[in-house]
Amino acid sequence: MEYVALVIYDIRDDKLRLEVARFLKRAGLTRIQKSAFAGLVKPSDRANIEAGIRRVTRGWSNYNVQIYFITPAAYSQRIVMSEGYSLEEEDEFLI
Amino acid sequence: MEYVALVIYDIRDDKLRLEVARFLKRAGLTRIQKSAFAGLVKPSDRANIEAGIRRVTRGWSNYNVQIYFITPAAYSQRIVMSEGYSLEEEDEFLI
């Protein structure tokens, strides 16, 4: 069964935050907030996402990353309240 | 059946962000990241949480709040990767 991976993070360092975001994009997830990504993942990809984040964060401090695997139904029933909100891509600001 | 409400937010304005956090605390949720709360909620409380956030954010702009209702099993199986991370209470900094 496929699950939606929901990844939320709070990372102090700009460079590490950007690296984590880039990894999540490469893993096929979509940015849903400045510090949150989500996407449908195959069971075989679950461990890869965890391993990838562990690799990127290795040796760093001051971070907290959480991965939730939820059903597509739970994801589609999420409630979004938003006004005048646009997602900035960090890549444009950090070269 | 009881679900875990997972609330993640990206809010530009300091005052609004603090108000949302205070509401979530009053609603019985626990801060799990700087901009994320979680907690077990009764079915009858689900609508209250949504209504409360809508009330607090009314008239504001530049915000995105998402509520996920996930099973306690999915919550307990979350993966947390953290190092040198401490949760600051915004209240101490914004009087």
Side-chain angles (χ1 to χ4, degrees):
Chain A
M1 182 180 170
E2 289 196 327
Y3 281 85
V4 171
L6 173 64
V7 183
I8 63 175
Y9 52 88
D10 185 6
I11 298 174
R12 185 70 58 88
D13 187 89
D14 292 342
K15 184 171 183 298
L16 177 60
R17 200 169 55 244
L18 179 60
E19 286 299 319
V20 168
R22 281 181 175 159
F23 166 75
L24 294 172
K25 266 186 244 181
R26 281 199 310 272
L29 305 190
T30 302
R31 191 187 289 263
I32 57 165
Q33 276 183 358
K34 190 177 160 199
S35 294
F37 281 75
L40 205 58
V41 293
K42 298 194 187 82
S44 56
D45 287 334
R46 291 169 63 142
N48 292 341
I49 289 176
E50 178 182 356
I53 296 171
R54 289 198 188 279
R55 189 179 63 242
V56 171
T57 55
R58 187 169 300 140
W60 288 88
S61 186
N62 257 313
Y63 67 83
N64 182 285
V65 183
Q66 304 192 12
I67 312 176
Y68 296 82
F69 293 104
I70 65 179
T71 62
Y75 185 74
S76 67
Q77 286 161 27
R78 72 194 183 283
I79 297 166
V80 179
M81 291 169 268
S82 188
E83 181 67 45
Y85 181 77
S86 64
L87 272 176
E88 297 158 355
E89 289 296 320
E90 287 169 307
D91 302 54
E92 300 167 21
F93 302 105
L94 281 169
I95 305 295
Chain B
M1 182 180 169
E2 290 197 324
Y3 281 86
V4 171
L6 173 65
V7 183
I8 63 175
Y9 52 87
D10 185 5
I11 298 175
R12 186 68 59 88
D13 186 90
D14 292 342
K15 184 171 184 298
L16 177 60
R17 200 170 56 245
L18 179 59
E19 287 299 318
V20 168
R22 282 180 175 159
F23 167 75
L24 294 172
K25 266 186 243 181
R26 280 199 311 271
L29 305 190
T30 302
R31 190 188 290 264
I32 57 165
Q33 275 183 359
K34 191 177 159 199
S35 295
F37 281 74
L40 205 58
V41 294
K42 298 193 187 84
S44 56
D45 288 334
R46 293 169 61 142
N48 292 340
I49 289 175
E50 178 183 355
I53 297 171
R54 290 199 188 279
R55 189 178 64 243
V56 171
T57 55
R58 188 169 300 140
W60 287 89
S61 187
N62 257 312
Y63 67 83
N64 182 285
V65 184
Q66 304 192 12
I67 311 176
Y68 296 81
F69 293 104
I70 65 179
T71 62
Y75 185 73
S76 67
Q77 287 161 26
R78 72 195 183 282
I79 297 166
V80 178
M81 291 168 268
S82 188
E83 182 67 44
Y85 181 77
S86 63
L87 272 175
E88 296 158 355
E89 290 294 319
E90 286 168 308
D91 303 54
E92 299 166 23
F93 304 105
L94 281 169
I95 305 295

